[in-house]
Amino acid sequence: FLILAGAFAGLPGIFGTMSVALALRFFEGGAGQTAGMIGICISSGLGFVYWHILKTHALNLRMLFSMALTSNVFFVSLLVLPMEVTLMIVKLVGPILAAINLIGISIAGHQLARVRRNLDRQWLLEEENRKDPLTGLLNRRAFEASGRNSATQAQADGQSYAMFVFDIDNFKAINDTFGHASGDKVIMKVAHVLSSKTPLNGELGRFGGEEYI
């Protein structure tokens, strides 16, 4: 199942799972130690290949089935064993292991993909609830919560902090003269300028209308 690491955890997942699997197989020892470690490297290498492929392709059932089929390439690692041992393993458990890989990776990959979609959907909903849709800044509710936490942390650390509230002068005249679409552009432009000037440890939000904080 190492082949799934790249698809769901990227390069850190590939190298992390490979390192742990190699360490466990090394300390387990036994006659098949070398073959097992080679198999782990092969599976992790396939995970890297699919991680690269998935940069431009969707992770769908067809892709998962392809990964499940390809995962059986790890049988190549058995060639480092004596030929009679290799043939015996392939004959006794080869079909079973291939079936486990095919079914297990397909099912596990499908379930992981569903979990990731749910997490992505939840994250997007949380972001939509926190961000002002026009400017992408924190909305009033999110800023009040975040600002309160920042102020509390600053007080606990014995640091000073400041808060500025300001608006765009004569904004109603802009809407009345040029229309609300132009007014929205002004709001977005001001938000962009303020974002570029806000320090990394600062908070910026749209408090409502043409007001920023």
Side-chain angles (χ1 to χ4, degrees):
F1 288 34
L2 293 171
I3 196 172
L4 293 173
F8 294 98
L11 287 178
I14 294 173
F15 290 111
T17 54
M18 181 178 68
S19 299
V20 172
L22 285 173
L24 291 174
R25 190 64 190 89
F26 176 79
F27 287 112
E28 183 181 356
Q33 182 187 67
T34 302
M37 296 180 72
I38 292 174
I40 290 169
C41 292
I42 291 174
S43 296
S44 298
L46 290 171
F48 177 82
V49 171
Y50 277 102
W51 167 76
H52 187 72
I53 292 174
L54 289 170
K55 290 182 178 180
T56 55
H57 294 76
L59 180 63
N60 49 32
L61 288 176
R62 179 180 297 179
M63 183 66 70
L64 285 172
F65 188 72
S66 172
M67 294 172 71
L69 284 176
T70 310
S71 67
N72 288 310
V73 173
F74 85 93
F75 278 114
V76 173
S77 63
L78 297 177
L79 294 177
V80 301
L81 298 173
M83 185 56 63
E84 60 273 13
V85 176
T86 299
L87 293 176
M88 180 184 67
I89 293 174
V90 171
K91 181 179 179 180
L92 292 177
V93 299
I96 297 175
L97 290 177
I100 290 175
N101 273 339
L102 184 62
I103 298 172
I105 290 176
S106 297
I107 294 176
H110 178 68
Q111 293 299 321
L112 288 171
R114 186 171 66 176
V115 169
R116 186 167 67 177
R117 284 195 300 270
N118 290 337
L119 290 174
D120 289 344
R121 191 178 299 114
Q122 180 180 351
W123 181 84
L124 287 174
L125 288 174
E126 291 176 354
E127 283 296 293
E128 289 176 358
N129 289 332
R130 296 181 69 250
K131 296 297 182 66
D132 170 60
L134 181 61
T135 62
L137 303 179
L138 294 176
N139 59 30
R140 180 169 182 166
R141 181 175 58 182
F143 181 87
E144 287 178 344
S146 180
R148 189 181 302 112
N149 292 336
S150 297
T152 301
Q153 186 62 49
Q155 290 175 341
D157 295 340
Q159 298 178 345
S160 60
Y161 64 93
M163 182 168 62
F164 300 90
V165 182
F166 51 94
D167 62 10
I168 303 173
D169 290 341
N170 302 316
F171 183 73
K172 185 177 183 301
I174 297 176
N175 277 336
D176 293 342
T177 304
F178 302 102
H180 288 280
S182 295
D184 287 346
K185 290 180 180 179
V186 171
I187 288 175
M188 289 188 289
K189 180 63 177 179
V190 172
H192 176 72
V193 173
L194 292 174
S195 296
S196 67
K197 302 299 182 181
T198 301
L200 294 177
N201 61 345
E203 302 275 4
L204 178 63
R206 184 183 177 197
F207 218 53
E210 75 280 16
E211 296 177 338
Y212 304 86
I213 186 169

